[in-house]
Structure formats: structure tokens, C-alpha cells
Amino acid sequence: MSPGFQGRPRSAEPALPPGQYLTQDFPVLSAGPTPRVPLETWEFVISTESGAEFRWSWDELMALPQETATVDIHCVTRWSKRDTGWQGVSLDTLLEGVDTGARYAQAHSYGGYTTNLPLDDLRGGRAWIAHRYDGGPLPAEHGGPARLLVPHLYFWKSAKWVRGIRLSVQDQPGFWETAGYHDYGDPWREQRYQGD
Ligand SMILES: Nc1nc2c(c(=O)[nH]1)N[C@H]1C(S)=C(S)[C@@H](COP(=O)(O)O)O[C@H]1N2
Ligand SMILES: [Mo]
């Protein structure tokens, strides 16, 4: 820091994205009823722009390398939660054998929810199919058996009860994006709504 710099006082607490406040509890935000998906029939599918499909059963997902992630999450309704602890499979692992030239991804969920993001944002150790939270199985109301976890974007991008990801050449807005929320949703640039 340069001498004479008049910044904010140094504090132990790192900054939050603009317009967010901290919460200690874990609010549940669901646009519809909580689907109950038995593990015996649960599956996760990545489909590509050429129609190829890559499927994992629950047991197959569990057999993949598992990662832990401790991350801050930011909901567009302005709550943020620090240091949430997850376990799951990195999208890097799932995308390894997937041959695609697509630039866009649309996550879709049991129950019908959808959300879109650039495929690049699922890469680079920044996105997981998470199935454990805080040391236990992911509770159904928070997206169990498994949810997408993309903490660097507003939390509506982290589709609960995720069932698959469609890769496509063209961007396809999802549930909230179609309703006026931002296409990308970077909390640090406060991209809440279209036009932000
Ligand atoms: N399938 C599905 N996923 C979803 C939602 C939803 O309504 N349905 N809500 C989103 C929103 S707006 C937020 S803030 C988070 C909330 O996750 P939580 O209920 O675990 O806090 O899930 C996101 N993923
Ligand atoms: Mo949200």
C-alpha cells in the first residue's frame, strides 16, 4: 500500500460483494415444491450440442474423485453466508471426457428449474455437483440428493436437485434469467437484473 493511502481501516473481515449482508442461518429459497428423488433412479446427464449424452448414476458419481470446498455464497436477495462447507465432484472431472465446442451451459433440475451460465464458468475448479453439506448428506430443501454449486455467481445459478447440464452453441436463458434477472450474475459487479 502506498504511503498516505486513505483506505478503509484494515479489518479481519474480508469485504462482501456490494449490497450484501451476512447471515448466520441458511435460508431456503425454492421457486416450487421440493422434489424427492430416490438415489436408485437418480441420474446426472451432460448432453452436448451434437446430441451426445454422458450419464452418471448415484453410485458412479460417488466412485469419482471427491473434493471439498469451503466457499462464501451470495443470494441476489442480498444475504451472503460465509465459509459454507461442501463435498462433491468437480465439473472439471465430469467434463473431462466430454468433447464439445459449445460455449454455453444450461443446468436443469428435477422439478423443472433451469439456469444458464457460460461453460467456462463450470471449469477451472469453480463448480461442483455437491451432495454433502456441513459434514452430512445435502438436505432435500437445500437441493439434495445433489445440486450444482457455482459460488462465484449469485446463488440462483447453483441449481438445486440438478439433473443435468445441456451444452449448447447459443445461450439459453433459464427460469430467473427469463424473468428479468441478469444473464451472468456476478455478485462483485452487482449484476442482479438485466441491464445491471
Ligand atoms: N431447482 C432449484 N434450484 C434453485 C432454486 C430453485 O428455486 N429451484 N433457487 C435458487 C436460488 S434463488 C437460491 S438463492 C438458491 C437457494 O439455495 P438454498 O435454498 O439452499 O439456500 O438456490 C437456487 N437454486
Ligand atoms: Mo436467490
Side-chain angles (χ1 to χ4, degrees):
M1 223 172 267
S2 52
F5 176 77
Q6 298 290 307
R8 287 163 24 131
R10 208 178 281 184
S11 81
E13 197 57 28
L16 280 177
Q20 297 293 114
Y21 66 86
L22 275 184
T23 182
Q24 298 302 323
D25 48 40
F26 193 176
V28 171
L29 276 98
S30 304
T34 296
R36 306 281 161 173
V37 190
L39 298 184
E40 300 75 53
T41 53
W42 183 93
E43 64 172 4
F44 177 73
V45 186
I46 296 178
S47 63
T48 75
E49 72 280 16
S50 62
E53 289 189 331
F54 300 80
R55 286 173 190 275
W56 292 266
S57 68
W58 185 260
D59 290 343
E60 287 166 342
L61 188 82
M62 294 305 123
L64 293 174
Q66 305 291 319
E67 296 186 0
T68 57
T70 302
V71 294
D72 298 349
I73 54 179
H74 312 291
C75 175
V76 73
T77 63
R78 298 183 182 272
W79 58 265
S80 291
K81 188 170 173 59
R82 293 266 192 224
D83 296 329
T84 60
W86 306 83
Q87 189 186 313
V89 177
S90 170
L91 259 297
D92 293 309
T93 302
L94 294 161
L95 288 166
E96 230 162 61
V98 177
D99 184 27
T100 179
R103 287 180 52 205
Y104 299 100
Q106 191 187 53
H108 56 103
S109 297
Y110 291 97
Y113 185 84
T114 54
T115 188
N116 59 306
L117 62 172
L119 175 53
D120 260 358
D121 286 74
L122 293 177
R123 293 190 161 125
R126 295 184 295 167
W128 297 266
I129 300 300
H131 56 82
R132 291 178 70 78
Y133 173 77
D134 199 16
L138 179 60
E141 67 268 25
H142 288 300
R147 76 182 295 165
L148 183 60
L149 175 66
V150 195
H152 71 280
L153 300 177
Y154 279 124
F155 208 37
W156 90 75
K157 300 285 184 180
S158 293
K160 304 199 280 189
W161 317 296
V162 69
R163 175 178 198 159
I165 292 173
R166 300 185 196 101
L167 306 181
S168 60
V169 174
Q170 285 192 339
D171 193 15
Q172 316 220 313
F175 180 82
W176 286 118
E177 294 83 7
T178 306
Y181 284 81
H182 199 275
D183 193 64
Y184 185 62
D186 180 348
W188 296 96
R189 288 187 280 168
E190 209 167 358
Q191 294 173 336
R192 299 178 193 274
Y193 309 106
Q194 276 168 34
D196 286 351

mmCIF file of all heavy atoms in Angstrom, residues 28-30 74-79 113 154-157 176 181, ligand 2:
data_model
loop_
_atom_site.group_PDB
_atom_site.id
_atom_site.type_symbol
_atom_site.label_atom_id
_atom_site.label_comp_id
_atom_site.label_asym_id
_atom_site.label_seq_id
_atom_site.Cartn_x
_atom_site.Cartn_y
_atom_site.Cartn_z
ATOM 1 N N VAL A 28 -33.785 -21.011 2.988
ATOM 2 C CA VAL A 28 -34.192 -21.902 1.891
ATOM 3 C C VAL A 28 -34.945 -21.054 0.877
ATOM 4 O O VAL A 28 -35.921 -20.391 1.233
ATOM 5 C CB VAL A 28 -35.085 -23.045 2.411
ATOM 6 C CG1 VAL A 28 -35.687 -23.829 1.254
ATOM 7 C CG2 VAL A 28 -34.284 -23.974 3.316
ATOM 8 N N LEU A 29 -34.471 -21.032 -0.362
ATOM 9 C CA LEU A 29 -35.172 -20.323 -1.434
ATOM 10 C C LEU A 29 -35.468 -21.286 -2.564
ATOM 11 O O LEU A 29 -34.556 -21.724 -3.272
ATOM 12 C CB LEU A 29 -34.339 -19.136 -1.938
ATOM 13 C CG LEU A 29 -34.529 -17.877 -1.087
ATOM 14 C CD1 LEU A 29 -33.416 -17.744 -0.079
ATOM 15 C CD2 LEU A 29 -34.646 -16.655 -1.952
ATOM 16 N N SER A 30 -36.731 -21.621 -2.721
ATOM 17 C CA SER A 30 -37.163 -22.557 -3.754
ATOM 18 C C SER A 30 -38.371 -21.972 -4.460
ATOM 19 O O SER A 30 -39.302 -21.494 -3.809
ATOM 20 C CB SER A 30 -37.551 -23.906 -3.138
ATOM 21 O OG SER A 30 -36.483 -24.447 -2.385
ATOM 22 N N HIS A 74 -23.666 -16.110 -2.150
ATOM 23 C CA HIS A 74 -24.304 -14.798 -2.240
ATOM 24 C C HIS A 74 -25.622 -14.900 -2.989
ATOM 25 O O HIS A 74 -25.632 -15.166 -4.190
ATOM 26 C CB HIS A 74 -23.390 -13.824 -2.971
ATOM 27 C CG HIS A 74 -21.969 -13.835 -2.474
ATOM 28 N ND1 HIS A 74 -21.621 -13.354 -1.225
ATOM 29 C CD2 HIS A 74 -20.819 -14.295 -3.035
ATOM 30 C CE1 HIS A 74 -20.312 -13.504 -1.051
ATOM 31 N NE2 HIS A 74 -19.800 -14.075 -2.138
ATOM 32 N N CYS A 75 -26.725 -14.695 -2.272
ATOM 33 C CA CYS A 75 -28.034 -14.725 -2.917
ATOM 34 C C CYS A 75 -28.388 -13.326 -3.412
ATOM 35 O O CYS A 75 -28.077 -12.322 -2.758
ATOM 36 C CB CYS A 75 -29.101 -15.212 -1.942
ATOM 37 S SG CYS A 75 -30.779 -15.125 -2.624
ATOM 38 N N VAL A 76 -29.081 -13.263 -4.531
ATOM 39 C CA VAL A 76 -29.459 -11.971 -5.109
ATOM 40 C C VAL A 76 -30.439 -11.224 -4.201
ATOM 41 O O VAL A 76 -30.552 -10.002 -4.284
ATOM 42 C CB VAL A 76 -30.016 -12.188 -6.541
ATOM 43 C CG1 VAL A 76 -31.404 -12.817 -6.487
ATOM 44 C CG2 VAL A 76 -30.019 -10.907 -7.343
ATOM 45 N N THR A 77 -31.129 -11.917 -3.296
ATOM 46 C CA THR A 77 -31.997 -11.242 -2.324
ATOM 47 C C THR A 77 -31.187 -10.600 -1.194
ATOM 48 O O THR A 77 -31.758 -10.140 -0.216
ATOM 49 C CB THR A 77 -33.042 -12.199 -1.727
ATOM 50 O OG1 THR A 77 -32.353 -13.230 -0.998
ATOM 51 C CG2 THR A 77 -33.913 -12.837 -2.798
ATOM 52 N N ARG A 78 -29.863 -10.595 -1.324
ATOM 53 C CA ARG A 78 -28.905 -9.815 -0.540
ATOM 54 C C ARG A 78 -28.299 -10.521 0.659
ATOM 55 O O ARG A 78 -27.464 -9.927 1.352
ATOM 56 C CB ARG A 78 -29.475 -8.443 -0.126
ATOM 57 C CG ARG A 78 -29.808 -7.585 -1.344
ATOM 58 C CD ARG A 78 -30.301 -6.191 -0.972
ATOM 59 N NE ARG A 78 -30.660 -5.425 -2.164
ATOM 60 C CZ ARG A 78 -29.801 -4.688 -2.861
ATOM 61 N NH1 ARG A 78 -28.551 -4.595 -2.484
ATOM 62 N NH2 ARG A 78 -30.199 -4.053 -3.952
ATOM 63 N N TRP A 79 -28.698 -11.758 0.950
ATOM 64 C CA TRP A 79 -27.961 -12.426 2.030
ATOM 65 C C TRP A 79 -26.726 -13.124 1.462
ATOM 66 O O TRP A 79 -26.728 -13.625 0.335
ATOM 67 C CB TRP A 79 -28.832 -13.414 2.820
ATOM 68 C CG TRP A 79 -29.485 -14.534 2.048
ATOM 69 C CD1 TRP A 79 -30.753 -14.537 1.534
ATOM 70 C CD2 TRP A 79 -28.927 -15.819 1.715
ATOM 71 N NE1 TRP A 79 -31.006 -15.732 0.903
ATOM 72 C CE2 TRP A 79 -29.903 -16.536 1.001
ATOM 73 C CE3 TRP A 79 -27.691 -16.436 1.961
ATOM 74 C CZ2 TRP A 79 -29.705 -17.837 0.519
ATOM 75 C CZ3 TRP A 79 -27.488 -17.728 1.486
ATOM 76 C CH2 TRP A 79 -28.486 -18.408 0.777
ATOM 77 N N TYR A 113 -36.703 -26.581 -12.760
ATOM 78 C CA TYR A 113 -35.910 -25.339 -12.712
ATOM 79 C C TYR A 113 -34.766 -25.393 -13.724
ATOM 80 O O TYR A 113 -34.195 -26.459 -13.965
ATOM 81 C CB TYR A 113 -35.332 -25.204 -11.307
ATOM 82 C CG TYR A 113 -34.581 -23.933 -11.004
ATOM 83 C CD1 TYR A 113 -35.250 -22.788 -10.616
ATOM 84 C CD2 TYR A 113 -33.185 -23.905 -11.058
ATOM 85 C CE1 TYR A 113 -34.557 -21.630 -10.293
ATOM 86 C CE2 TYR A 113 -32.482 -22.745 -10.730
ATOM 87 C CZ TYR A 113 -33.167 -21.609 -10.346
ATOM 88 O OH TYR A 113 -32.478 -20.470 -10.026
ATOM 89 N N TYR A 154 -24.105 -15.355 -8.395
ATOM 90 C CA TYR A 154 -25.241 -15.332 -7.471
ATOM 91 C C TYR A 154 -25.808 -16.743 -7.353
ATOM 92 O O TYR A 154 -25.820 -17.530 -8.309
ATOM 93 C CB TYR A 154 -26.319 -14.373 -7.962
ATOM 94 C CG TYR A 154 -26.053 -12.917 -7.639
ATOM 95 C CD1 TYR A 154 -26.010 -11.968 -8.659
ATOM 96 C CD2 TYR A 154 -25.881 -12.492 -6.326
ATOM 97 C CE1 TYR A 154 -25.789 -10.622 -8.374
ATOM 98 C CE2 TYR A 154 -25.655 -11.146 -6.036
ATOM 99 C CZ TYR A 154 -25.610 -10.220 -7.055
ATOM 100 O OH TYR A 154 -25.387 -8.890 -6.775
ATOM 101 N N PHE A 155 -26.352 -17.030 -6.174
ATOM 102 C CA PHE A 155 -26.673 -18.416 -5.815
ATOM 103 C C PHE A 155 -27.832 -18.990 -6.623
ATOM 104 O O PHE A 155 -28.056 -20.189 -6.590
ATOM 105 C CB PHE A 155 -26.940 -18.481 -4.306
ATOM 106 C CG PHE A 155 -26.633 -19.797 -3.663
ATOM 107 C CD1 PHE A 155 -25.549 -20.567 -4.055
ATOM 108 C CD2 PHE A 155 -27.425 -20.270 -2.616
ATOM 109 C CE1 PHE A 155 -25.261 -21.778 -3.444
ATOM 110 C CE2 PHE A 155 -27.158 -21.480 -1.998
ATOM 111 C CZ PHE A 155 -26.071 -22.243 -2.406
ATOM 112 N N TRP A 156 -28.575 -18.148 -7.368
ATOM 113 C CA TRP A 156 -29.653 -18.726 -8.181
ATOM 114 C C TRP A 156 -29.076 -19.577 -9.314
ATOM 115 O O TRP A 156 -29.770 -20.427 -9.858
ATOM 116 C CB TRP A 156 -30.614 -17.648 -8.687
ATOM 117 C CG TRP A 156 -30.303 -17.007 -10.003
ATOM 118 C CD1 TRP A 156 -30.469 -17.579 -11.246
ATOM 119 C CD2 TRP A 156 -29.805 -15.695 -10.234
ATOM 120 N NE1 TRP A 156 -30.096 -16.665 -12.226
ATOM 121 C CE2 TRP A 156 -29.684 -15.505 -11.625
ATOM 122 C CE3 TRP A 156 -29.450 -14.641 -9.382
ATOM 123 C CZ2 TRP A 156 -29.223 -14.324 -12.193
ATOM 124 C CZ3 TRP A 156 -28.994 -13.456 -9.943
ATOM 125 C CH2 TRP A 156 -28.883 -13.308 -11.329
ATOM 126 N N LYS A 157 -27.779 -19.363 -9.622
ATOM 127 C CA LYS A 157 -27.123 -20.179 -10.650
ATOM 128 C C LYS A 157 -26.801 -21.585 -10.137
ATOM 129 O O LYS A 157 -26.492 -22.478 -10.926
ATOM 130 C CB LYS A 157 -25.843 -19.499 -11.128
ATOM 131 C CG LYS A 157 -26.040 -18.107 -11.736
ATOM 132 C CD LYS A 157 -26.630 -18.186 -13.129
ATOM 133 C CE LYS A 157 -26.744 -16.813 -13.782
ATOM 134 N NZ LYS A 157 -27.325 -16.899 -15.138
ATOM 135 N N TRP A 176 -34.939 -17.797 -13.872
ATOM 136 C CA TRP A 176 -34.851 -16.414 -13.365
ATOM 137 C C TRP A 176 -34.341 -15.464 -14.428
ATOM 138 O O TRP A 176 -34.716 -14.285 -14.458
ATOM 139 C CB TRP A 176 -33.976 -16.345 -12.107
ATOM 140 C CG TRP A 176 -34.670 -16.900 -10.895
ATOM 141 C CD1 TRP A 176 -34.281 -17.981 -10.148
ATOM 142 C CD2 TRP A 176 -35.882 -16.430 -10.298
ATOM 143 N NE1 TRP A 176 -35.171 -18.201 -9.133
ATOM 144 C CE2 TRP A 176 -36.163 -17.272 -9.201
ATOM 145 C CE3 TRP A 176 -36.756 -15.380 -10.588
ATOM 146 C CZ2 TRP A 176 -37.283 -17.088 -8.382
ATOM 147 C CZ3 TRP A 176 -37.879 -15.204 -9.777
ATOM 148 C CH2 TRP A 176 -38.122 -16.054 -8.691
ATOM 149 N N TYR A 181 -33.822 -11.443 -14.436
ATOM 150 C CA TYR A 181 -32.542 -11.433 -13.731
ATOM 151 C C TYR A 181 -31.391 -11.452 -14.732
ATOM 152 O O TYR A 181 -31.564 -11.773 -15.909
ATOM 153 C CB TYR A 181 -32.470 -12.606 -12.738
ATOM 154 C CG TYR A 181 -33.300 -12.307 -11.519
ATOM 155 C CD1 TYR A 181 -34.681 -12.500 -11.533
ATOM 156 C CD2 TYR A 181 -32.723 -11.750 -10.386
ATOM 157 C CE1 TYR A 181 -35.458 -12.165 -10.433
ATOM 158 C CE2 TYR A 181 -33.492 -11.417 -9.280
ATOM 159 C CZ TYR A 181 -34.857 -11.629 -9.314
ATOM 160 O OH TYR A 181 -35.618 -11.290 -8.229
HETATM 161 MO MO MO B 2 -31.600 -16.438 -4.634
#
